[in-house]
Amino acid sequence: MLLQKSISLQAYNTFGIDVEANYFANITSIHQLRQIIFKEELKDIPKLILGGGSNILFTGNFEGIVLLNAMKGITLIRETPQEVWLQVAGGEVWHDLVQYCVQKNWGGIENLSLIPGSVGAAPIQNIGAYGVELKDVFISLDALHLPTGQLRTFSKEECQFDYRNSIFKQSLKGQYFIYSVCLCLQKQPVFNTNYGAIQQTLAQLEQAGKERSIATLSEAICQIRSQKLPDPKVIGNSGSFFKNPEVPRSILEAIQKNYPKVPNYPLKDPNKVKLPAAWLIEKCGWKGKVIGNTGTYHKQALVLVNHGNATGKEIYNLSETILQSVKKQFDIELEREVNVIGMN
Ligand SMILES: Cc1cc2nc3c(=O)[nH]c(=O)nc-3n(C[C@H](O)[C@H](O)[C@H](O)COP(=O)(O)OP(=O)(O)OC[C@H]3O[C@@H](n4cnc5c(N)ncnc54)[C@H](O)[C@@H]3O)c2cc1C
């Protein structure tokens, strides 16, 4: 069993924050996970499950054990003329799974191309992009309860998926290690192209001779994302730092007095609307700002970046200042999407 001590986590988070964990273990099986969590010296210390580290901000050293999900495997467990069910180990890289399905021409997750991170973390915030969310293809997940070592299967309903949210970010936060996820993909895919710049990019690819297919749609999404978002290998970041707020219509109407064209999206509740956090932050003057080692990305104000040797606290402080300025200007309280470790 590979248990390491005093390990730098810099290579394990996409912000590139240089902090240490007291202990670190690569988890490759349930048996090994149980051995680690019940080891005498480890059983009572804090535990942090880590995938690709692409939705996490470390604000200090982690005084406990980091459990890196390194379980691999994709298994076809059910097939009908219309659909396939895949059982995917939590340590698989999400985009590798997307590519695997694209190659087989199985539809459902191509709009989620190029989202960084692991399959096991995907249910935590019900990952989503370009009009599709994980919950749209989700069947169930298998997880190990860290305090007792017991295994449990969660149905879709039990996961309580919502916009960038699930039970694993709420009442069961940090309790369950997700080691496997079951998804349903379609053999006769339905193309979801009504979002953002998809249609325009698809048209360009089709003009260049590509047929409309799952693969072409995935290529279009990859192109759009690469143009819009910073590559964490080049500039440290964690994608969108805040969620898009859902606000009462009265707040929208107040903003419209000064900004009649404020973008907004209807919600099920007719008295509420969703506003793009990026727009609010941009209107407060934050887009592309550099503050010491930190800042916001010049093409997308919602993405906070590490320009070099930023500490997690510096990035957290910037997020706090942005929160306060949006609150002051628009009376809207933004909520962080990124999981902050060490501030509460
Ligand atoms: C450039 C960029 C673009 C992004 N774009 C998007 C996007 O379009 N849509 C979107 O939804 N997200 C996006 N993200 C955020 C991120 O990719 C997703 O949230 C992803 O699912 C995180 O996976 P991870 O393995 O890196 O999780 P980590 O950052 O390692 O962990 C995130 C949280 O989940 C917990 N966790 C991780 N693995 C497990 C597990 N197996 N069991 C239980 N808990 C676990 C961790 O403890 C932590 O609280 C983006 C991030 C970046 C850097």
Side-chain angles (χ1 to χ4, degrees), residues 140-166:
S140 64
L141 65 78
D142 298 313
L144 179 140
H145 188 230
L146 288 175
T148 60
Q150 283 182 353
L151 304 184
R152 176 171 165 190
T153 298
F154 287 80
S155 67
K156 183 148 113 177
E157 289 66 35
E158 286 170 324
C159 291
Q160 296 178 16
F161 290 127
D162 202 348
Y163 164 61
R164 299 301 171 275
N165 213 348
S166 75

Side-chain angles (χ1 to χ4, degrees), residues 70-75 87-92 97 179-181:
M71 293 191 207
K72 299 286 182 188
I74 303 177
T75 314
Q87 193 77 46
V88 189
E92 287 287 344
L97 171 67
Y179 62 88
S180 181
V181 178

Side-chain angles (χ1 to χ4, degrees), residues 233-281:
K233 288 192 195 105
V234 180
I235 180 161
N237 77 91
S238 221
S240 304
F241 201 92
F242 301 99
K243 294 186 188 183
N244 293 322
E246 298 179 355
V247 301
R249 273 197 174 273
S250 55
I251 295 216
L252 170 69
E253 283 155 15
I255 297 175
Q256 279 171 330
K257 286 185 185 144
N258 289 327
Y259 301 98
K261 289 188 179 163
V262 52
N264 64 91
Y265 306 98
L267 291 166
K268 267 190 207 141
D269 178 350
N271 298 317
K272 285 183 151 190
V273 288
K274 189 181 273 190
L275 298 177
W279 184 91
L280 298 167
I281 296 169

Side-chain angles (χ1 to χ4, degrees), residues 88 94 97-98 108-109 111-112 115 118-129 131-141 156 159 161-162 164-166 168 178 180-185:
V88 189
W94 174 262
L97 171 67
V98 174
I109 54 175
N111 287 38
L112 306 180
I115 296 183
S118 59
V119 168
I124 303 288
Q125 71 158 7
N126 177 30
I127 57 167
V132 173
E133 289 183 321
L134 179 81
K135 73 172 171 48
D136 301 333
V137 295
F138 182 91
I139 301 290
S140 64
L141 65 78
K156 183 148 113 177
C159 291
F161 290 127
D162 202 348
R164 299 301 171 275
N165 213 348
S166 75
F168 305 104
I178 298 170
S180 181
V181 178
C182 180
L183 304 178
C184 173
L185 287 312

Side-chain angles (χ1 to χ4, degrees), residues 14 48-56 69 115-118 120-122 124-129 164 176-178 225 229-230 232 237-240 337 339 341:
T14 58
L48 176 73
I49 306 159
L50 197 60
S54 64
N55 200 15
I56 218 159
N69 190 345
I115 296 183
S118 59
I124 303 288
Q125 71 158 7
N126 177 30
I127 57 167
R164 299 301 171 275
Y176 280 91
F177 184 110
I178 298 170
R225 290 183 68 97
L229 293 167
N237 77 91
S238 221
S240 304
E337 180 181 313
N339 299 278
I341 308 293

Side-chain angles (χ1 to χ4, degrees), residues 4 7-14 24 26 50-54 56 58 66 68:
Q4 296 168 278
I7 285 292
S8 166
L9 298 177
Q10 191 166 26
Y12 295 100
N13 71 97
T14 58
F24 185 95
N26 249 313
L50 197 60
S54 64
I56 218 159
F58 289 106
V66 167
L68 183 79

